[in-house]
């Protein structure tokens, strides 16, 4: 039964069910919201990746010496 996976008529049935459930008026709004969410997710993932690579590239400001007293602020 599932030997061949999804065939084109399976996808057509799923599309018809989605249109009937959500209505043709809400589908563009839903697609727009999904696209906006994907763009936000992509930009946040890129920012996290850039932040991680920037932190690993930067060297420490000054080496800590065992002889030097610790200063507190």
């Amino acid at each position: 039964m599932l030997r061949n996976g999804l065939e084109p008529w399976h996808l057509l049935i799923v599309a018809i069910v989605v249109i009937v459930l959500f209505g043709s008026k809400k589908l563009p709004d839903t697609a727009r919201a999904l696209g906006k969410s994907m763009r936000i997710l992509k930009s946040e993932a890129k920012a996290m990746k850039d932040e991680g690579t920037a932190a690993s590239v930067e060297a420490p400001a000054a080496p800590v010496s065992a002889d030097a007293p610790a200063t507190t602020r």
Side-chain angles (χ1 to χ4, degrees):
M1 182 171 170
L2 292 175
R3 178 180 63 197
N4 295 331
L6 290 176
E7 294 184 16
W9 65 274
H10 291 125
L11 297 176
L12 180 64
I13 291 173
V14 169
I16 290 172
V17 168
V18 167
I19 289 172
V20 168
L21 286 177
F22 295 107
S24 60
K25 185 174 181 176
K26 285 197 172 198
L27 285 178
D29 295 336
T30 305
R32 202 172 295 119
L34 181 63
K36 185 176 180 181
S37 298
M38 291 298 292
R39 282 191 298 274
I40 291 170
L41 178 66
K42 195 178 210 182
S43 67
E44 291 295 324
K46 184 179 179 197
M48 287 178 64
K49 182 180 176 187
D50 292 344
E51 184 178 291
T53 57
S56 65
V57 171
E58 293 177 7
V64 178
S65 174
D67 297 337
T71 59
T72 58
R73 292 181 186 190

